[in-house]
Amino acid sequence: MKPVLEGTVALITGASSGIGAATASALAAQGATVALAARRRPQLEGLASEILESGGTALVIECDITDQEQAASAVDRTVAELGRLDTLVNNAGVMLLGPAADAPLDEWQRMVDLNVLGLLYCAHAALPHLRRAAAEDPRQVADMVNISSVAGRFARVGNGVYALTKFGVGAFSESLRQELAGQYVRVSLVEPGATATELASHNRPEVLEGLRGQFGLRMEAGDIADAISYIVTRPRHVAVNEMLIRPTEQQ
Ligand code: NDP
């Protein structure tokens, strides 16, 4: 049987590690040609080689999506080199935790720049292509999958600004979903709980110490990639609007 995503092109931001890398592999396994965007070229090239060895096609795009021009150029290169854009996975993100009082302001800036503005820049650049993909091909829909977090639903002590950015991703996604529903562009929100990736490692040592052992058994990046793959492989008349996924033990 033909792979469900054959003939489609997906751009995944933050594809150099964690959930983004696992998602790129999962979508490639479903037949999508994938564009891999992040700052670390060696990791992207390693993943592209793996995808190639498994019979897929991948394009490496080294970029910093907090720069509006680089975000737009990542979308433009995907369309120029791979011919179209059917799926955007807005995954790149950073989580810097700790009490708000005396928090380093640059950490807040980094989270807003990437989790909010970076996502918006990619969404803005991709929308004309997603709308065209959905309009042109009656067998397909186009998808934007935005990665939020459990923190996009529940703010807790120590995650205030991270939660602010992820609540914002949820608000933008729901508004855009309503705007595009009639145009066969599906906008989905994925809200993972604790997942074993590099995400927490960017925190200051004193914050990391506090996080140790907090979550018990975490999910794997592949568990979230499974969810994203499920969302984008639904038939044309089915739109999964939102998925909140926690490890079994997480409260
Ligand atoms: P990782 O730290 O493993 O991945 C983050 C990715 O973002 C990396 O590929 C990184 O690549 C990329 N990135 C960072 N800065 C930029 C930038 N300026 N431009 C382009 N890419 C950038 O973490 P996860 O895989 O866990 O995180 C993926 C998403 O999942 C995030 O949005 C996160 O908030 C969300 N999430 C994760 C949870 C978890 O427990 N792991 C729970 C809930 C949500 P590079 O450094 O090469 O640029």
Side-chain angles (χ1 to χ4, degrees), residues 182-209:
Q183 302 172 48
Y184 284 93
V185 179
R186 302 185 294 204
V187 180
S188 306
L189 185 68
V190 175
E191 296 152 317
T195 308
T197 68
E198 297 175 9
L199 190 71
S201 69
H202 306 293
N203 281 283
R204 284 168 281 136
E206 62 271 28
V207 174
L208 263 182
E209 193 51 46

mmCIF file of all heavy atoms in Angstrom, residues 182-209:
data_model
loop_
_atom_site.group_PDB
_atom_site.id
_atom_site.type_symbol
_atom_site.label_atom_id
_atom_site.label_comp_id
_atom_site.label_asym_id
_atom_site.label_seq_id
_atom_site.Cartn_x
_atom_site.Cartn_y
_atom_site.Cartn_z
ATOM 1 N N GLY A 182 -12.369 26.165 7.057
ATOM 2 C CA GLY A 182 -13.098 26.032 5.789
ATOM 3 C C GLY A 182 -12.187 25.892 4.589
ATOM 4 O O GLY A 182 -12.648 25.633 3.477
ATOM 5 N N GLN A 183 -10.883 26.083 4.811
ATOM 6 C CA GLN A 183 -9.939 26.050 3.683
ATOM 7 C C GLN A 183 -9.101 24.771 3.664
ATOM 8 O O GLN A 183 -8.091 24.694 2.990
ATOM 9 C CB GLN A 183 -9.025 27.276 3.751
ATOM 10 C CG GLN A 183 -9.803 28.573 3.718
ATOM 11 C CD GLN A 183 -8.899 29.777 3.972
ATOM 12 O OE1 GLN A 183 -7.844 29.904 3.377
ATOM 13 N NE2 GLN A 183 -9.322 30.650 4.860
ATOM 14 N N TYR A 184 -9.501 23.789 4.452
ATOM 15 C CA TYR A 184 -8.798 22.504 4.500
ATOM 16 C C TYR A 184 -7.343 22.628 4.942
ATOM 17 O O TYR A 184 -6.492 21.857 4.540
ATOM 18 C CB TYR A 184 -8.922 21.746 3.177
ATOM 19 C CG TYR A 184 -10.291 21.132 3.057
ATOM 20 C CD1 TYR A 184 -11.331 21.801 2.405
ATOM 21 C CD2 TYR A 184 -10.574 19.916 3.662
ATOM 22 C CE1 TYR A 184 -12.605 21.258 2.341
ATOM 23 C CE2 TYR A 184 -11.840 19.366 3.613
ATOM 24 C CZ TYR A 184 -12.849 20.036 2.950
ATOM 25 O OH TYR A 184 -14.101 19.505 2.901
ATOM 26 N N VAL A 185 -7.057 23.635 5.756
ATOM 27 C CA VAL A 185 -5.772 23.669 6.453
ATOM 28 C C VAL A 185 -6.083 23.348 7.908
ATOM 29 O O VAL A 185 -6.815 24.078 8.574
ATOM 30 C CB VAL A 185 -5.095 25.047 6.354
ATOM 31 C CG1 VAL A 185 -3.762 25.032 7.116
ATOM 32 C CG2 VAL A 185 -4.860 25.425 4.897
ATOM 33 N N ARG A 186 -5.582 22.218 8.380
ATOM 34 C CA ARG A 186 -5.837 21.804 9.762
ATOM 35 C C ARG A 186 -4.760 22.394 10.669
ATOM 36 O O ARG A 186 -3.568 22.308 10.351
ATOM 37 C CB ARG A 186 -5.824 20.276 9.869
ATOM 38 C CG ARG A 186 -6.840 19.605 8.968
ATOM 39 C CD ARG A 186 -6.892 18.108 9.171
ATOM 40 N NE ARG A 186 -5.675 17.413 8.775
ATOM 41 C CZ ARG A 186 -5.638 16.129 8.420
ATOM 42 N NH1 ARG A 186 -6.748 15.400 8.413
ATOM 43 N NH2 ARG A 186 -4.490 15.558 8.080
ATOM 44 N N VAL A 187 -5.166 22.978 11.770
ATOM 45 C CA VAL A 187 -4.205 23.500 12.748
ATOM 46 C C VAL A 187 -4.387 22.702 14.029
ATOM 47 O O VAL A 187 -5.484 22.668 14.598
ATOM 48 C CB VAL A 187 -4.434 25.002 13.010
ATOM 49 C CG1 VAL A 187 -3.428 25.524 14.043
ATOM 50 C CG2 VAL A 187 -4.318 25.793 11.703
ATOM 51 N N SER A 188 -3.336 22.040 14.460
ATOM 52 C CA SER A 188 -3.425 21.155 15.624
ATOM 53 C C SER A 188 -2.447 21.596 16.703
ATOM 54 O O SER A 188 -1.371 22.117 16.410
ATOM 55 C CB SER A 188 -3.080 19.720 15.229
ATOM 56 O OG SER A 188 -3.873 19.301 14.148
ATOM 57 N N LEU A 189 -2.844 21.323 17.922
ATOM 58 C CA LEU A 189 -2.026 21.687 19.076
ATOM 59 C C LEU A 189 -1.655 20.404 19.817
ATOM 60 O O LEU A 189 -2.531 19.607 20.156
ATOM 61 C CB LEU A 189 -2.855 22.601 19.991
ATOM 62 C CG LEU A 189 -2.153 23.200 21.187
ATOM 63 C CD1 LEU A 189 -1.096 24.212 20.740
ATOM 64 C CD2 LEU A 189 -3.167 23.896 22.097
ATOM 65 N N VAL A 190 -0.350 20.221 20.064
ATOM 66 C CA VAL A 190 0.105 19.054 20.819
ATOM 67 C C VAL A 190 0.731 19.555 22.116
ATOM 68 O O VAL A 190 1.586 20.446 22.099
ATOM 69 C CB VAL A 190 1.121 18.224 20.001
ATOM 70 C CG1 VAL A 190 1.684 17.081 20.835
ATOM 71 C CG2 VAL A 190 0.458 17.686 18.736
ATOM 72 N N GLU A 191 0.291 18.978 23.232
ATOM 73 C CA GLU A 191 0.745 19.435 24.553
ATOM 74 C C GLU A 191 1.404 18.285 25.310
ATOM 75 O O GLU A 191 0.749 17.556 26.056
ATOM 76 C CB GLU A 191 -0.472 19.956 25.330
ATOM 77 C CG GLU A 191 -1.105 21.176 24.678
ATOM 78 C CD GLU A 191 -2.594 21.300 24.969
ATOM 79 O OE1 GLU A 191 -3.305 20.276 24.920
ATOM 80 O OE2 GLU A 191 -3.033 22.420 25.261
ATOM 81 N N PRO A 192 2.718 18.105 25.083
ATOM 82 C CA PRO A 192 3.387 16.986 25.746
ATOM 83 C C PRO A 192 3.649 17.279 27.219
ATOM 84 O O PRO A 192 3.868 18.421 27.616
ATOM 85 C CB PRO A 192 4.731 16.866 25.007
ATOM 86 C CG PRO A 192 4.647 17.770 23.826
ATOM 87 C CD PRO A 192 3.625 18.811 24.165
ATOM 88 N N GLY A 193 3.659 16.186 28.003
ATOM 89 C CA GLY A 193 4.206 16.239 29.355
ATOM 90 C C GLY A 193 5.671 15.865 29.285
ATOM 91 O O GLY A 193 6.294 15.909 28.210
ATOM 92 N N ALA A 194 6.223 15.460 30.447
ATOM 93 C CA ALA A 194 7.670 15.247 30.550
ATOM 94 C C ALA A 194 8.159 14.188 29.569
ATOM 95 O O ALA A 194 7.709 13.048 29.578
ATOM 96 C CB ALA A 194 8.013 14.827 31.972
ATOM 97 N N THR A 195 9.098 14.597 28.738
ATOM 98 C CA THR A 195 9.625 13.745 27.670
ATOM 99 C C THR A 195 11.150 13.815 27.722
ATOM 100 O O THR A 195 11.717 14.907 27.872
ATOM 101 C CB THR A 195 9.125 14.259 26.293
ATOM 102 O OG1 THR A 195 7.697 14.391 26.359
ATOM 103 C CG2 THR A 195 9.486 13.308 25.181
ATOM 104 N N ALA A 196 11.803 12.676 27.608
ATOM 105 C CA ALA A 196 13.268 12.622 27.752
ATOM 106 C C ALA A 196 13.944 13.194 26.506
ATOM 107 O O ALA A 196 14.048 12.520 25.480
ATOM 108 C CB ALA A 196 13.711 11.187 27.976
ATOM 109 N N THR A 197 14.360 14.448 26.579
ATOM 110 C CA THR A 197 15.063 15.129 25.479
ATOM 111 C C THR A 197 16.122 16.048 26.097
ATOM 112 O O THR A 197 16.324 16.049 27.315
ATOM 113 C CB THR A 197 14.101 16.011 24.644
ATOM 114 O OG1 THR A 197 13.671 17.103 25.462
ATOM 115 C CG2 THR A 197 12.887 15.233 24.153
ATOM 116 N N GLU A 198 16.715 16.896 25.257
ATOM 117 C CA GLU A 198 17.712 17.854 25.774
ATOM 118 C C GLU A 198 17.074 19.067 26.442
ATOM 119 O O GLU A 198 17.773 19.931 26.958
ATOM 120 C CB GLU A 198 18.568 18.374 24.601
ATOM 121 C CG GLU A 198 19.376 17.307 23.902
ATOM 122 C CD GLU A 198 20.116 17.855 22.677
ATOM 123 O OE1 GLU A 198 20.140 19.092 22.479
ATOM 124 O OE2 GLU A 198 20.668 17.047 21.916
ATOM 125 N N LEU A 199 15.741 19.159 26.397
ATOM 126 C CA LEU A 199 15.060 20.414 26.738
ATOM 127 C C LEU A 199 15.477 21.004 28.086
ATOM 128 O O LEU A 199 15.790 22.187 28.180
ATOM 129 C CB LEU A 199 13.534 20.198 26.723
ATOM 130 C CG LEU A 199 12.695 21.465 26.821
ATOM 131 C CD1 LEU A 199 12.776 22.278 25.533
ATOM 132 C CD2 LEU A 199 11.231 21.137 27.130
ATOM 133 N N ALA A 200 15.477 20.167 29.140
ATOM 134 C CA ALA A 200 15.750 20.695 30.485
ATOM 135 C C ALA A 200 17.215 21.080 30.655
ATOM 136 O O ALA A 200 17.563 21.898 31.513
ATOM 137 C CB ALA A 200 15.347 19.658 31.533
ATOM 138 N N SER A 201 18.101 20.502 29.817
ATOM 139 C CA SER A 201 19.540 20.658 30.034
ATOM 140 C C SER A 201 20.031 22.093 29.850
ATOM 141 O O SER A 201 21.141 22.418 30.241
ATOM 142 C CB SER A 201 20.303 19.737 29.073
ATOM 143 O OG SER A 201 20.156 20.204 27.742
ATOM 144 N N HIS A 202 19.199 22.958 29.257
ATOM 145 C CA HIS A 202 19.628 24.346 29.030
ATOM 146 C C HIS A 202 19.420 25.226 30.264
ATOM 147 O O HIS A 202 19.705 26.415 30.240
ATOM 148 C CB HIS A 202 18.883 24.936 27.832
ATOM 149 C CG HIS A 202 19.012 24.094 26.593
ATOM 150 N ND1 HIS A 202 20.215 23.923 25.947
ATOM 151 C CD2 HIS A 202 18.120 23.347 25.899
ATOM 152 C CE1 HIS A 202 20.043 23.103 24.907
ATOM 153 N NE2 HIS A 202 18.781 22.748 24.866
ATOM 154 N N ASN A 203 18.900 24.635 31.348
ATOM 155 C CA ASN A 203 18.652 25.417 32.559
ATOM 156 C C ASN A 203 19.915 25.624 33.378
ATOM 157 O O ASN A 203 20.877 24.853 33.289
ATOM 158 C CB ASN A 203 17.593 24.700 33.412
ATOM 159 C CG ASN A 203 16.195 24.947 32.886
ATOM 160 O OD1 ASN A 203 15.632 26.004 33.097
ATOM 161 N ND2 ASN A 203 15.651 23.955 32.173
ATOM 162 N N ARG A 204 19.878 26.660 34.214
ATOM 163 C CA ARG A 204 20.997 26.910 35.121
ATOM 164 C C ARG A 204 21.154 25.712 36.081
ATOM 165 O O ARG A 204 20.157 25.053 36.402
ATOM 166 C CB ARG A 204 20.725 28.180 35.936
ATOM 167 C CG ARG A 204 20.927 29.470 35.146
ATOM 168 C CD ARG A 204 20.383 30.668 35.888
ATOM 169 N NE ARG A 204 18.935 30.759 35.745
ATOM 170 C CZ ARG A 204 18.089 31.025 36.734
ATOM 171 N NH1 ARG A 204 18.530 31.218 37.958
ATOM 172 N NH2 ARG A 204 16.790 31.101 36.505
ATOM 173 N N PRO A 205 22.400 25.416 36.543
ATOM 174 C CA PRO A 205 22.637 24.235 37.383
ATOM 175 C C PRO A 205 21.712 24.170 38.599
ATOM 176 O O PRO A 205 21.203 23.103 38.947
ATOM 177 C CB PRO A 205 24.096 24.391 37.823
ATOM 178 C CG PRO A 205 24.719 25.291 36.803
ATOM 179 C CD PRO A 205 23.635 26.155 36.244
ATOM 180 N N GLU A 206 21.452 25.325 39.237
ATOM 181 C CA GLU A 206 20.618 25.290 40.451
ATOM 182 C C GLU A 206 19.174 24.908 40.111
ATOM 183 O O GLU A 206 18.481 24.264 40.904
ATOM 184 C CB GLU A 206 20.692 26.612 41.227
ATOM 185 C CG GLU A 206 20.197 27.863 40.496
ATOM 186 C CD GLU A 206 21.268 28.584 39.676
ATOM 187 O OE1 GLU A 206 22.216 27.934 39.220
ATOM 188 O OE2 GLU A 206 21.124 29.816 39.475
ATOM 189 N N VAL A 207 18.720 25.278 38.924
ATOM 190 C CA VAL A 207 17.356 24.917 38.495
ATOM 191 C C VAL A 207 17.322 23.430 38.143
ATOM 192 O O VAL A 207 16.410 22.692 38.545
ATOM 193 C CB VAL A 207 16.920 25.768 37.286
ATOM 194 C CG1 VAL A 207 15.572 25.297 36.747
ATOM 195 C CG2 VAL A 207 16.863 27.242 37.657
ATOM 196 N N LEU A 208 18.371 22.985 37.443
ATOM 197 C CA LEU A 208 18.458 21.571 37.056
ATOM 198 C C LEU A 208 18.414 20.672 38.282
ATOM 199 O O LEU A 208 17.740 19.634 38.281
ATOM 200 C CB LEU A 208 19.782 21.319 36.326
ATOM 201 C CG LEU A 208 19.764 21.330 34.815
ATOM 202 C CD1 LEU A 208 21.157 21.016 34.275
ATOM 203 C CD2 LEU A 208 18.751 20.304 34.286
ATOM 204 N N GLU A 209 19.119 21.081 39.333
ATOM 205 C CA GLU A 209 19.160 20.301 40.579
ATOM 206 C C GLU A 209 17.745 20.102 41.126
ATOM 207 O O GLU A 209 17.346 19.006 41.502
ATOM 208 C CB GLU A 209 20.057 21.044 41.592
ATOM 209 C CG GLU A 209 20.460 20.239 42.797
ATOM 210 C CD GLU A 209 21.058 18.874 42.423
ATOM 211 O OE1 GLU A 209 21.911 18.801 41.509
ATOM 212 O OE2 GLU A 209 20.630 17.895 43.040
#
